[in-house]
Amino acid sequence: MTTTPETPAAPLVDLQRLFVAIRRRKRFWLATALLGLIVGAVLAVVLPAPPTAVAKVIVVHQDDSPTDSGTLMRTDVAVLQTTQIAAAALKKLGSTDSPDDFMKNYAGLGLTNNVLQITVKAKTNEDAVARAQALAETFIADHVKRSQAAAAAQSQAILDQRKNAQDELGKVEQQIVDEEGKGRQASQPTLESLYSRRAALTAQISDFTSRAQQAGIGSPQVAAGTQIVDAARVLPKAFLKTTATNAGIGFALGLALGLALVAIGAVSRDKPVLRREISAHLGASVIAQLPSKLRGPARLWRRSRAVSERRRVATTLVRLIKQDPRSVSLLELGAPKVAAALSLDIVAELATEGDASVVDDLPGEDVRKLVTETKSDVSVVGAVDPAAKPEERRVGVGTVSPGTAWTDLEHLGKETVLVVKAGHANTLWLHTVARQLADQEIPVLGIVLVDPDPRDKSDGTLWDGLHTALRGRGRKAAAPAPAEREDRMDELVARVAERVARTEAPTRRFSPVRPVLPPALTTPRPPASPLPPPGSVSVPDHLNAPTKKFAPVKPPKRPTPFKRDHGEPSHKGDLDADLEPEKSAEVS
């Protein structure tokens, strides 16, 4: 679509249209949210939560410190979710289930840095309690075993270092003995270094011994401190809480799904809702708007208001219809019932001044049904009934929905008013309607918008042409047909030519004016011959007379016919008076 500098390019996503579409489709996304709430509540009843058992274990870590941020507890939770722990617990229970399936039915949660909660689901309460107890005991045994293994490994490493130090100390002792056996030949600095080395090795061996004892003391504390502080027990079933939780989750999911579907539909389907969009696509102005058919309890207290608004619009349309003798039709697009009711109101007002009837050409014969329901006295005829009487006014009611016979619309009325429901048709179909009506030469007086958005503040009036709505209606009542206008112009030209020929004097011819020179500049002429030569023509005396000057002849004025209000010329007498030429000036 090409754009001009005066017309800005349309945005990729019009947020105003998106918000309006979501607000107009609130019944849909509220229905999906309610459906999600109901489904969640039903699932809580039909598929209740399986029996669940909980056990709490206090876990003592050998390297625990007050500054720990929960890393050790997260490690314990990860160790709990291993096939080794699951297989050991199943082996203790004597079950043949798969460890992978068992891991899906339990979970660990670190409540604090040293408290672990184990939750197990099973088919029965007894099975859930037994599995939670076995899982807690298996985890404690594995934790103590790993702690003892770590302490034993650390103690063994220290003992191995002490043995190496003892072996080295034995070698130093042997060197000292050898040096002392030499007597006076022994080197005093060598002995002093050996004595220093022996003292250092002795202190190192003593340190290794104390560290090995401390490493062995740490494991009993872990074994004694890690235990079950809350035995496995079945969690009570909170039916109301579970139902409310599931219903809330279903409501949120349904609401999100409904809003997403409405937003996607608003962008992909491209159905105009705003007044400015509908008027621009149809090429006509919105002259009135009506609410759609009321639903629910609102019909009880808002019925009179809707009827009064419809009658007010009908009064406005009746004024339009009375301005021109041509017939006017109502063509609906998505609002057949509103168009039927509006046509009955229009004909009811026209019937007060003469014969009037409705031509029902709707596919569902909504006008006849409405007349039967309301027991109205308005005359309703069909599209195939005989033509109307000369003094009878008929208002045709038809449709421009898909499947319309476009060539039959001109029989409903020479002009039309479109009754369009907002958000019913897409942009392509609105363009099709405007193009087909233009091809049939059916002017659109205006658009009656049905079910508009109450927060729509856009302007539905087109200001760039006289071919739309009320401002173009006065131009269509214009002047006579082109053939009649040409005939009158030819007649007028002939009359003007005849009057000019009658009043204009015949043209007189004069000899050319010769300039008179002073005597000093005159050239002497040769003496005139007494007799003219043979065959020559003599010049008359009146041609040699001095030239007389006359006043110029003024041309007659061009006739200027007066125009009436609709461009017609004035009466013949007025035209003759205006075409009287001025009298020519007398010759001086």
Side-chain angles (χ1 to χ4, degrees):
M1 178 179 178
T2 59
T3 58
T4 60
E6 293 80 6
T7 305
L12 182 61
V13 178
D14 193 346
L15 295 181
Q16 184 180 7
R17 180 197 297 178
L18 181 62
F19 293 153
V20 169
I22 291 176
R23 187 165 58 246
R24 287 176 60 84
R25 298 291 302 278
K26 62 182 178 181
R27 291 189 181 92
F28 178 79
W29 49 264
L30 286 177
T32 57
L34 182 60
L35 181 62
L37 185 145
I38 295 174
V39 170
V42 170
L43 288 178
V45 177
V46 176
L47 300 176
T52 305
V54 175
K56 294 180 181 179
V57 179
I58 185 169
V59 183
V60 177
H61 304 97
Q62 189 173 358
D63 299 331
D64 196 3
S65 64
T67 59
D68 181 45
S69 59
T71 305
L72 298 177
M73 181 54 64
R74 287 195 294 269
T75 303
D76 294 336
V77 172
V79 171
L80 181 66
Q81 297 284 345
T82 57
T83 55
Q84 180 180 355
I85 300 296
L90 292 175
K91 184 177 180 180
K92 188 174 183 179
L93 291 170
S95 175
T96 58
D97 294 343
S98 172
D100 294 332
D101 295 338
F102 181 47
M103 289 171 56
K104 297 177 183 178
N105 294 326
Y106 74 85
L109 177 63
L111 301 179
T112 64
N113 290 346
N114 297 100
V115 178
L116 175 64
Q117 177 178 294
I118 301 174
T119 305
V120 182
K121 297 179 180 179
K123 296 181 179 180
T124 60
N125 294 334
E126 294 77 9
D127 191 14
V129 172
R131 293 194 174 202
Q133 187 69 23
L135 195 61
E137 293 175 357
T138 302
F139 174 77
I140 291 174
D142 179 79
H143 181 73
V144 172
K145 181 180 177 180
R146 287 186 288 106
S147 179
Q148 290 177 351
Q154 185 179 5
S155 177
Q156 184 63 37
I158 295 174
L159 292 177
D160 292 341
Q161 293 179 357
R162 187 184 66 175
K163 183 177 180 302
N164 294 334
Q166 288 177 350
D167 294 341
E168 187 177 357
L169 179 61
K171 294 177 181 180
V172 172
E173 291 286 350
Q174 183 62 35
Q175 291 177 1
I176 293 174
V177 171
D178 292 342
E179 288 293 330
E180 288 179 350
K182 293 179 181 181
R184 294 182 179 182
Q185 295 179 356
S187 175
Q188 190 66 24
T190 303
L191 288 175
E192 291 180 357
S193 63
L194 291 176
Y195 290 153
S196 300
R197 180 59 180 166
R198 183 177 62 180
L201 289 174
T202 302
Q204 191 174 5
I205 291 171
S206 176
D207 181 57
F208 284 152
T209 302
S210 61
R211 289 174 57 188
Q213 292 176 355
Q214 291 179 0
I217 294 173
S219 180
Q221 294 178 353
V222 173
T226 303
Q227 57 183 347
I228 300 175
V229 294
D230 191 359
R233 58 186 178 84
V234 178
L235 288 178
K237 294 183 179 180
F239 178 75
L240 295 178
K241 182 179 179 180
T242 304
T243 304
T245 302
N246 292 350
I249 295 174
F251 179 82
L253 293 178
L255 180 62
L257 179 62
L259 290 175
L261 292 177
V262 169
I264 294 174
V267 175
S268 61
R269 291 188 300 174
D270 189 20
K271 293 187 175 182
V273 177
L274 303 178
R275 284 192 292 268
R276 57 178 171 84
E277 294 180 342
I278 294 176
S279 63
H281 294 314
L282 287 176
S285 299
V286 177
I287 58 176
Q289 61 184 26
L290 289 173
S292 61
K293 186 177 180 181
L294 300 177
R295 301 177 182 178
R299 291 181 296 180
L300 301 178
W301 63 82
R302 294 187 59 185
R303 181 177 179 84
S304 59
R305 179 181 177 184
V307 172
S308 62
E309 291 181 1
R310 191 182 67 235
R311 290 179 177 174
R312 177 180 56 81
V313 174
T315 303
T316 303
L317 297 180
V318 166
R319 296 193 187 101
L320 298 180
I321 295 173
K322 290 181 179 179
Q323 290 179 2
D324 197 280
R326 289 179 290 183
S327 58
V328 177
S329 63
L330 295 179
L331 300 180
E332 64 84 21
L333 182 59
K337 297 185 181 298
V338 176
L342 190 60
S343 65
L344 292 181
D345 293 340
I346 293 174
V347 174
E349 291 195 21
L350 291 176
T352 58
E353 300 181 1
D355 295 338
S357 60
V358 181
V359 181
D360 186 6
D361 196 30
L362 293 174
E365 296 185 349
D366 295 275
V367 179
R368 297 181 185 272
K369 294 178 181 178
L370 186 60
V371 168
T372 304
E373 293 176 359
T374 58
K375 299 179 181 180
S376 177
D377 298 333
V378 176
S379 176
V380 180
V381 298
V384 297
D385 291 348
K389 301 176 182 179
E391 66 276 2
E392 182 183 3
R393 297 296 297 266
R394 285 188 175 182
V395 177
V397 183
T399 180
V400 288
S401 301
T404 300
W406 301 104
T407 55
D408 293 343
L409 297 181
E410 61 180 356
H411 300 291
L412 297 177
K414 300 301 180 181
E415 297 176 330
T416 186
V417 175
L418 295 178
V419 182
V420 182
K421 184 177 182 180
H424 175 74
N426 55 17
T427 302
L428 179 61
W429 186 251
L430 293 180
H431 290 176
T432 302
V433 171
R435 184 176 63 253
Q436 292 291 346
L437 292 177
D439 292 343
Q440 298 298 323
E441 296 183 356
I442 301 177
V444 180
L445 297 180
I447 302 172
V448 177
L449 190 61
V450 179
D451 193 18
D453 185 71
R455 300 184 182 180
D456 181 14
K457 305 301 182 183
S458 61
D459 187 11
T461 304
L462 298 183
W463 301 98
D464 56 351
L466 290 178
H467 63 284
T468 57
L470 309 180
R471 291 175 291 118
R473 190 173 176 83
R475 189 185 61 156
K476 297 181 183 61
E484 298 179 1
R485 186 180 305 172
E486 292 179 1
D487 296 342
R488 293 192 178 186
M489 288 301 296
D490 295 341
E491 182 182 357
L492 179 62
V493 170
R495 290 170 58 191
V496 171
E498 181 182 359
R499 176 58 63 89
V500 171
R502 247 192 353 247
T503 57
E504 190 175 29
T507 305
R508 298 177 62 186
R509 294 183 179 180
F510 299 93
S511 60
V513 179
R514 296 177 181 178
V516 179
L517 298 177
L521 298 178
T522 57
T523 304
R525 295 183 180 180
S529 58
L531 294 176
S536 63
V537 180
S538 61
V539 178
D541 295 337
H542 67 273
L543 295 180
N544 292 327
T547 303
K548 295 181 179 181
K549 295 183 179 180
F550 299 92
V553 179
K554 294 183 179 179
K557 283 188 176 181
R558 304 293 294 175
T560 305
F562 289 98
K563 294 183 179 180
R564 294 182 180 177
D565 296 337
H566 300 288
E568 297 181 357
S570 61
H571 296 288
K572 180 178 179 181
D574 299 337
L575 179 62
D576 294 342
D578 295 333
L579 294 180
E580 282 293 334
E582 297 183 1
K583 295 181 180 181
S584 59
E586 295 182 357
V587 178
S588 58

